[in-house]
Amino acid sequence: RRNLDAGQLAIVGIARFEAEEKINARKRQLVNLKQGSDAPVLVTSSVKERGGESAAIIAEKVGVKKSNIYQVRAVREKGIPELETMIMKEGLSPNFANIIVQNDSPEEQKELIKGGIAAVNARAREIKAQRTSQITEEREAAERAKEKAEMKEYKEVLKAQFGDSRYSCSLSSVFEMWCNSCKCAFDIFKPMVANCCPACASTDIEKRDESWYPGKKVD
């Protein structure tokens, strides 16, 4: 047992559990028969009797995570047999095997394993990288949508307070500036040109990003 990795232990644990369940089911059948019951024999699992789901019971017995049990079962359900063999004999990660079966069809899996465990590992890493990139893009899109909604809400507040004027001041033709030194936003009304920050006198100033608005956190 000390020489087995998580995937191998999960496979052994599942096989042992299923064998025990068959034995326990047979025992319950024999008890019913000895009692002379004429009713149909209901073969129920002993998992409930032990208080918990089967994955948790197996994981605790063999010393792996529940996720490893789920992964191996997924490979059995959706994967080709060769992938489970790779887990058992070549040390393929059950996580990687699960990634493959969740994304590639059995036909694609058969083609993939021709390249051996190296090809399987490379494909799993590729899928993980694509998924990570997708998650990052989705998160950034959500942040942009949130920022856009906040800007819209802020502009609606301004409009409610000041009507169609952009600012409370009647002058709306401005240079929108930003100071990189003190993180201060300020406006210079045309035709004047900004030479320095009015707050700290720094000359490290530039045109302000249009997405900035009062109250926005600045790193």
Side-chain angles (χ1 to χ4, degrees), residues 51-124:
E53 59 174 323
S54 60
I57 293 172
I58 298 170
E60 184 178 358
K61 277 193 172 185
V62 296
V64 297
K65 297 177 181 178
K66 273 200 306 183
S67 59
N68 295 138
I69 306 301
Y70 294 137
Q71 289 160 355
V72 169
R73 284 177 168 172
V75 172
R76 284 188 168 185
E77 180 182 346
K78 299 182 179 180
I80 58 177
E82 289 83 352
L83 283 176
E84 185 175 346
T85 302
M86 278 189 172
I87 296 175
M88 192 64 197
K89 293 187 177 181
E90 299 184 52
L92 173 63
S93 161
N95 180 35
F96 275 15
N98 180 52
I99 289 173
I100 296 297
V101 302
Q102 298 297 340
N103 291 274
D104 291 347
S105 67
E107 291 72 23
E108 292 170 326
Q109 296 169 34
K110 289 177 183 178
E111 191 65 27
L112 178 64
I113 64 168
K114 292 179 182 179
I117 190 171
V120 175
N121 285 335
R123 172 59 179 156

Side-chain angles (χ1 to χ4, degrees), residues 74-206:
V75 172
R76 284 188 168 185
E77 180 182 346
K78 299 182 179 180
I80 58 177
E82 289 83 352
L83 283 176
E84 185 175 346
T85 302
M86 278 189 172
I87 296 175
M88 192 64 197
K89 293 187 177 181
E90 299 184 52
L92 173 63
S93 161
N95 180 35
F96 275 15
N98 180 52
I99 289 173
I100 296 297
V101 302
Q102 298 297 340
N103 291 274
D104 291 347
S105 67
E107 291 72 23
E108 292 170 326
Q109 296 169 34
K110 289 177 183 178
E111 191 65 27
L112 178 64
I113 64 168
K114 292 179 182 179
I117 190 171
V120 175
N121 285 335
R123 172 59 179 156
R125 293 190 184 99
E126 177 188 2
I127 295 172
K128 284 186 69 175
Q130 290 173 349
R131 182 55 183 155
T132 300
S133 176
Q134 181 183 352
I135 291 173
T136 300
E137 289 176 1
E138 291 173 352
R139 184 183 297 115
E140 290 176 349
E143 290 175 353
R144 288 194 298 269
K146 180 181 178 182
E147 182 173 296
K148 186 176 180 180
E150 290 175 346
M151 289 176 62
K152 181 180 179 182
E153 181 181 359
Y154 174 71
K155 289 177 180 178
E156 288 174 351
V157 171
L158 286 181
K159 186 173 182 179
Q161 291 179 339
F162 309 124
D164 291 329
S165 296
R166 190 172 182 183
Y167 301 100
S168 57
C169 177
S170 60
L171 296 175
S172 59
S173 181
V174 298
F175 291 109
E176 297 176 317
M177 305 301 295
W178 176 260
C179 176
N180 291 314
S181 296
C182 67
K183 310 299 183 185
C184 172
F186 61 95
D187 296 339
I188 298 296
F189 294 98
K190 297 177 181 178
M192 295 180 64
V193 178
N195 295 315
C196 64
C197 172
C200 69
S202 170
T203 56
D204 186 11
I205 58 177
E206 61 184 352

Side-chain angles (χ1 to χ4, degrees), residues 18-71:
E18 291 175 348
E20 289 176 349
E21 285 296 289
K22 289 180 180 178
I23 293 171
N24 290 334
R26 181 57 181 163
K27 287 180 179 179
R28 288 191 292 274
Q29 286 180 322
L30 292 174
V31 169
N32 287 345
L33 290 172
K34 286 180 181 180
Q35 292 176 348
S37 173
D38 294 330
V41 177
L42 298 177
V43 181
T44 58
S45 172
S46 62
V47 175
K48 292 182 179 179
E49 298 171 9
R50 286 181 276 179
E53 59 174 323
S54 60
I57 293 172
I58 298 170
E60 184 178 358
K61 277 193 172 185
V62 296
V64 297
K65 297 177 181 178
K66 273 200 306 183
S67 59
N68 295 138
I69 306 301
Y70 294 137
Q71 289 160 355

